Amino acid sequence: RAFWGWLNAVFNKVDHERIRAVGPDRAASEWLLRCGALVRYQGSPKWQQDYNGLPTGPLGKYKIEAINATDSCIMYRGFDYLDGLEHVTDIKLEKCMYIQDECLQRLSETSNLQKSLQQLKIISCGNVTDKGILALHKLMNLEYLYLSDLPGIREKETTFRVLQQALPNLELELDLE
């Protein structure tokens, strides 16, 4: 178990030189796929899951539009890869054992995501609490938030009222005990 934790930490190490060399979308794609997530590019209906099948082309040609991190090992230390992404409209975090409040706070403080992110789904991420959900208030263009199976959320009514006040246009869908 300790070995896998170490390996996952290695997968999440940010390579800033790589980001400069290949651009933020390519570098983030490599990080996400290395961690077991999927990405979808602007103008494409299909999810990219094969690291070796990542599309090549001129720098900046492929822009990440959606991220599906189901069962992936993405963790806080890799979130610097998200900084340069300008076109991400949809993120799904499901069964992500390393996703915690700090990750959601970091997500909501990423200025490009504050502008572009419209849909967010957080499902079965056991380390997420009310604090992490409240941190999402900075995602000013978020239109839809789906929350399911999050046992760390204890103050449901208060948390959702505060979030709804901060983001009046947000459609909040809940499937919580």
Side-chain angles (χ1 to χ4, degrees):
R1 192 143 176 81
F3 171 74
W4 292 112
W6 171 83
L7 187 62
N8 290 336
V10 169
F11 283 162
N12 279 276
K13 186 176 185 324
V14 177
D15 183 345
H16 294 281
E17 280 184 33
R18 183 73 180 153
I19 294 171
R20 282 191 293 278
V22 300
D25 288 272
R26 172 68 189 215
S29 295
E30 292 173 357
W31 164 61
L32 289 160
L33 268 60
R34 206 170 38 239
C35 290
L38 311 176
V39 296
R40 196 179 71 234
Y41 298 106
Q42 259 185 340
S44 172
K46 92 178 182 61
W47 288 93
Q48 181 67 41
Q49 57 186 7
D50 178 12
Y51 185 92
N52 295 317
L54 276 170
T56 55
L59 192 67
K61 179 179 178 190
Y62 294 94
K63 302 289 186 190
I64 297 175
E65 183 176 63
I67 297 168
N68 181 343
T70 301
D71 288 318
S72 72
C73 70
I74 64 169
M75 60 179 66
Y76 183 87
R77 80 180 287 188
F79 274 47
D80 283 3
Y81 280 111
L82 300 174
D83 288 339
L85 304 181
E86 298 178 358
H87 302 89
V88 176
T89 59
D90 192 352
I91 296 177
K92 181 179 184 183
L93 304 170
E94 182 172 0
K95 297 183 200 150
C96 299
M97 66 185 284
Y98 299 109
I99 293 296
Q100 56 205 24
D101 294 339
E102 293 78 12
C103 298
L104 299 182
Q105 188 159 357
R106 176 71 171 81
L107 197 73
S108 73
E109 289 170 355
T110 304
S111 62
N112 283 329
L113 292 178
Q114 288 174 350
K115 295 176 200 140
S116 70
L117 192 62
Q118 297 169 1
Q119 286 195 37
L120 178 60
K121 297 178 186 107
I122 306 169
I123 305 161
S124 303
C125 296
N127 296 318
V128 171
T129 70
D130 299 275
K131 181 182 170 201
I133 300 305
L134 287 171
L136 300 174
H137 76 277
K138 294 180 181 172
L139 296 171
M140 296 311 288
N141 287 314
L142 196 62
E143 297 170 0
Y144 178 76
L145 177 62
Y146 178 75
L147 303 173
S148 176
D149 186 27
L150 300 172
I153 296 180
R154 304 263 186 247
E155 305 292 327
K156 293 177 190 57
E157 289 77 20
T158 307
T159 297
F160 304 137
R161 188 177 63 249
V162 170
L163 193 59
Q164 206 78 69
Q165 285 169 348
L167 301 170
N169 297 325
L170 179 67
E171 179 189 337
L172 191 53
E173 189 177 338
L174 309 172
D175 181 14
L176 301 167
E177 287 302 308

